[in-house]
Structures are given as C-alpha cells and as structure tokens.
Amino acid sequence: NFSFPEAYGQDRLKAFRRITRRAVNIGLGDETFKTQEKTSFQTESISSALYFAEGQKIPFVQNVVTIDIGGGTSDLSIWQNLNLIWRNSFRLAGKDVLINYLSNNLTLIKEISGNDDLLLSSYDNLQKIRTSKTKLANGIELLVNSPQFGEAFKKRFFIVAGKEKGKELRNLTELALSGILFYISQVLNHLIENNQFKKGVTAADKSLRICLGGKASTLYKIIFEDIEEQESLSKMIEKVTGGVFTSIAVEFTNTPKHEVAYGLLVAKSGSTDLNIETKSHETILGEDVLEGRNKIGIVSELNPEKEWRVKDISQLKTFLKYLQAYSKIPVKLTKKFEVDLEGKINAALKDGQTEALDLKRNQESVEGDDSMTEIQKMSSIVEPVFIQELKHVINEVTSGKIKLK
C-alpha cells in the first residue's frame, strides 16, 4: 500500500504511480510480479482518518473532521455516521508557516535552544549557510524534525512566546490554523446546502470533533492543547456555519508524523467499519470565480473553454475580520497587496484553466484501470482560491512584509 496527497496534480500522480510500481519490481528483483494487481494507492486524508478511527478510537459515528498537516500539504476529510462525506488536499502546511518563519528569524532558534549545546551548534551551522535559501530551509527542516528540538520547543516555547518574534510566530500559527478551519467551514456549508451533510437535531448530532495530525501538528498542539485556547477557533466555526455545531472539540494525534503509515495498515472495514466509497470529490473554491458574469463556487462547474478570474478577495477579508474579532489578531492589507494578490490568483487560475482544457481534450486511459476520470477524483487541478489567498498572506508575514502584533 502506498499513500499520496490529493494536492498532487494529474501528471505528478501518474508519475508517482508509475515510478512506485517500477520501484516495487526492482526492489523485489522480480519483473514478473504483478504490480498492477498487488499494489494499491490510498490518499493521505483517508490513511490519516483510519489512524484516528483505529489508533485513537475516535467515534466516527458523530461528525468528524481530520486534518493531516505535513511539511508540504494538508490533507482533509469530513465524516458523518461512519461515512466519508468529503476529502481533499492543498499545498499549505508546515513549511509555509514554521520553516519559512524560522528561515527569516534565525535568532528564534537560538532562543528556543536554551543551553542545549547540540542545538546551539546546529544554530551556528545554520548561520553559516543562511545566504542559500534552499540549504537554509532544508537545514531548518532537519533540525525542527529532530526529537531534541521538539523537546526544547515544548519546554521553552511559552518563554519565547512572550517576546516579539515568539509572539508573532504564535499568532502566525493561529492565523494559519484558523484559515484552514474557515475553509473547512465553507466546505461544510456547501455540503449542507447540497444535502450531503445532515444538520443535527440532538446535542450529539450538533457536536464536531476535529482530529489534528501530521508533522506540523506538534506546533499546533503546544499552542492549542488547552480548551481555553481552542475557544477562538470554535467561535469562528460556529459563526461561519451559522450555529450548526454547538459543541466543537480538537483532538490531537498521539503519534505525530506516523498517522498515514499507521492508517495504511488498517483494514477499511471491521474494527473501523468506515464507509469510504460514497464521498464528494468536489473542490470548493472558497472565493467566487467569475466566468463572464456568472459566479462559480466549485471546480466542477468551471468551464475550461471560458476565462476564469476573481473580481475581489471578499472571503479573505471576511476571514481576517473574524480573526481579529475572535483571536484578537489584526492583519492589515494594503491596497497594493490586494491588487497584486488578485493578479497572482488570476495567473494561477489561467494555469489551471489551461491544464483543465488539456485534460478535456485528452481523456485517455493511463496504465490499465487507472482511467483519467479516476485520476481526477484523486488529484487536484486548481488549488482552492481561498487557500491560495491565505498562503500569500502567510508568506507576507514570514518574510516580514506584514507584521503580526
């Protein structure tokens, strides 16, 4: 069994499957091994959900959202009464928040290291390669993923969080997670409107459990483990979904970075008894895209024969208003940033439109049973527009162009 993020584009997913099957043949030293029949592929969103269902015994009979925040992608799934309702993935994760912020604020690593000689030595080595952005980012990622740094982070983050850069990292972390949850709330609204997710009647039916795992979940756990710290997140979800949920709780993984591997070993039936067959593959854009005068909110309704563009960033502004109201984190966008952002989003939509048009003209079979239609169900053509907007805001913060106080 092999897993992959749904944020993979069409070409990357096809290449991943082809290379993986070839690697199995080479690794086994057996060219006759029937890799087409004996290798299977599963999205990371499903694998992570199976971990929480079996590994932490989360009752999926209720309303559950799983979020696996890795280094490069975040993989999401929504469940109700043991049924998979929706799943997707996007390229906004740990590197965009922690790694990029530390790359531009190296002294914060020194403060977190305390008196640990090994970590301080690593900090000195990072200073030596700081002129190479790629080497620096890779070095920081290696350090951040080390057990020693993880322990130091847990013990000392609340000390450094009282200082300017530590506080900004904390606020940036809350901005990122709040943005992801704002998007999930938009998805839930879409599913409810289309009768794919049922509104609850009893108190249990109106509860929502958010399961947070992945490589980057350690950072979020340190900041949001206390119930009081989760209150701002709950209020925002309640606001965006119009009070559909009256009880919202966050459950953190017990095994950061290992959920997907665990989930690949869990049977999809039996002890978990989850139904993963019926689900929506729809990508909710999170910000209206215009085709002429028509407003489009989901990818499947976009016509690749017509021009795609955004008129404004109203949903991003709404999110930032809620962020200030519930988390007391003000984010001020300049008019120039707004105009530039609209231009960048429209350029990305143009690329997505070109790819969609190529796919429409090339509906061909790929490697036996892997039809193009099936591949489109498990990969992404267009990143959610709201997530693209959020990522640009986060990049402005990590680069020091927007200050969080």
Side-chain angles (χ1 to χ4, degrees):
N1 294 336
F2 298 90
S3 70
F4 61 92
E6 284 169 281
Y8 272 4
Q10 312 294 317
D11 291 340
R12 192 171 183 182
L13 176 55
K14 287 187 287 183
F16 173 74
R17 288 182 163 188
R18 183 173 59 252
I19 291 168
T20 300
R21 286 168 173 154
R22 180 61 183 152
V24 169
N25 282 126
I26 294 172
L28 294 175
D30 182 3
E31 293 292 336
T32 64
F33 183 78
K34 298 179 180 179
T35 53
Q36 188 72 30
E37 299 174 16
K38 296 185 178 181
T39 56
S40 63
F41 297 87
Q42 185 166 280
T43 64
E44 291 185 358
S45 58
I46 299 299
S47 299
S48 180
L50 288 169
Y51 159 76
F52 279 106
E54 174 64 18
Q56 293 193 199
K57 304 299 181 185
I58 301 298
F60 275 58
V61 291
Q62 298 174 348
N63 306 314
V64 177
V65 170
T66 69
I67 311 173
D68 189 282
I69 305 178
T73 64
S74 293
D75 294 86
L76 294 71
S77 65
I78 296 176
W79 303 77
Q80 188 174 55
N81 193 27
L82 298 176
N83 294 308
L84 173 61
I85 308 298
W86 178 89
R87 68 167 196 240
N88 217 314
S89 173
F90 46 73
R91 296 180 187 88
L92 170 61
K95 287 182 181 179
D96 301 290
V97 181
L98 182 59
I99 305 302
N100 286 354
Y101 189 82
L102 292 178
S103 294
N104 291 296
N105 298 278
L106 272 180
T107 55
L108 192 54
I109 292 177
K110 185 176 182 180
E111 293 180 38
I112 292 169
S113 299
N115 297 320
D116 190 300
D117 291 336
L118 180 59
L119 294 179
L120 290 172
S121 174
S122 298
Y123 166 75
D124 291 337
N125 289 332
L126 290 171
Q127 287 282 10
K128 294 174 184 176
I129 59 172
R130 65 182 305 164
T131 55
S132 171
K133 289 185 178 181
T134 301
K135 288 182 180 179
L136 182 61
N138 290 339
I140 291 174
E141 188 170 6
L142 284 171
L143 177 62
V144 166
N145 288 329
S146 69
Q148 202 151 353
F149 185 86
E151 283 301 312
F153 198 93
K154 275 191 253 182
K155 291 177 181 177
R156 293 186 54 81
F157 183 73
F158 284 109
I159 298 173
V160 301
K163 301 178 181 180
E164 180 186 359
K165 293 301 180 182
K167 182 180 179 182
E168 186 171 56
L169 176 57
R170 188 198 183 287
N171 287 344
L172 174 63
T173 303
E174 186 158 358
L175 183 157
L177 183 57
S178 297
I180 291 172
L181 293 176
F182 181 90
Y183 176 71
I184 289 173
S185 299
Q186 291 179 309
V187 174
L188 286 165
N189 287 341
H190 170 81
L191 295 172
I192 290 169
E193 278 180 31
N194 288 273
N195 295 317
Q196 293 172 291
F197 190 97
K198 307 300 180 185
K199 285 186 179 181
V201 178
T202 67
D205 293 337
K206 293 181 179 181
S207 68
L208 178 67
R209 185 168 294 193
I210 300 166
C211 300
L212 199 59
K215 199 157 52 169
S217 65
T218 303
L219 173 63
Y220 294 102
K221 185 175 183 178
I222 291 170
I223 295 174
F224 293 108
E225 190 165 27
D226 292 339
I227 299 297
E228 294 77 12
E229 299 293 343
Q230 298 174 19
E231 190 174 345
S232 60
L233 304 177
S234 298
K235 286 182 178 178
M236 188 190 65
I237 294 172
E238 289 174 17
K239 177 69 175 178
V240 179
T241 57
V244 171
F245 305 103
T246 56
S247 172
I248 300 169
V250 180
E251 186 89 25
F252 290 95
T253 178
N254 294 330
T255 59
K257 299 187 287 187
H258 302 297
E259 301 88 355
V260 170
Y262 187 108
L264 285 171
L265 301 175
V266 176
K268 301 179 185 66
S269 58
S271 57
T272 58
D273 204 26
L274 298 180
N275 173 22
I276 66 170
E277 298 307 319
T278 305
K279 65 273 185 184
S280 170
H281 306 286
E282 190 60 75
T283 297
I284 285 69
L285 292 165
E287 191 80 75
D288 284 338
V289 171
L290 296 181
E291 282 184 357
R293 295 184 178 181
N294 295 327
K295 292 181 178 180
I296 309 297
I298 55 179
V299 168
S300 66
E301 293 183 358
L302 290 172
N303 182 352
E305 303 283 352
K306 296 182 179 180
E307 182 187 9
W308 303 348
R309 62 186 179 87
V310 293
K311 180 183 177 183
D312 54 41
I313 53 172
S314 59
Q315 288 302 309
L316 176 65
K317 289 182 176 180
T318 297
F319 161 66
L320 294 178
K321 181 177 72 175
Y322 291 160
L323 184 71
Q324 180 163 8
Y326 300 123
S327 299
K328 311 304 179 190
I329 301 175
V331 180
K332 295 182 180 179
L333 305 181
T334 65
K335 187 63 179 176
K336 181 180 184 306
F337 174 81
E338 292 181 23
V339 172
D340 288 348
L341 178 56
E342 288 174 22
K344 290 173 182 177
I345 296 300
N346 284 328
L349 286 172
K350 180 64 177 176
D351 291 341
Q353 180 186 359
T354 301
E355 183 180 352
L357 194 58
D358 288 343
L359 285 170
K360 184 177 179 180
R361 293 170 176 170
N362 190 30
Q363 293 291 319
E364 61 183 8
S365 295
V366 180
E367 296 187 5
D369 293 334
D370 296 338
S371 68
M372 187 63 73
T373 302
E374 288 303 309
I375 286 177
Q376 287 183 64
K377 289 180 179 179
M378 294 188 288
S379 64
S380 174
I381 296 174
V382 178
E383 284 273 288
V385 175
F386 174 79
I387 295 298
Q388 292 185 53
E389 296 170 345
L390 177 64
K391 189 172 180 177
H392 281 294
V393 171
I394 290 170
N395 287 343
E396 292 289 293
V397 176
T398 59
S399 63
K401 295 175 183 176
I402 291 179
K403 301 292 184 182
L404 297 183
K405 297 179 180 180

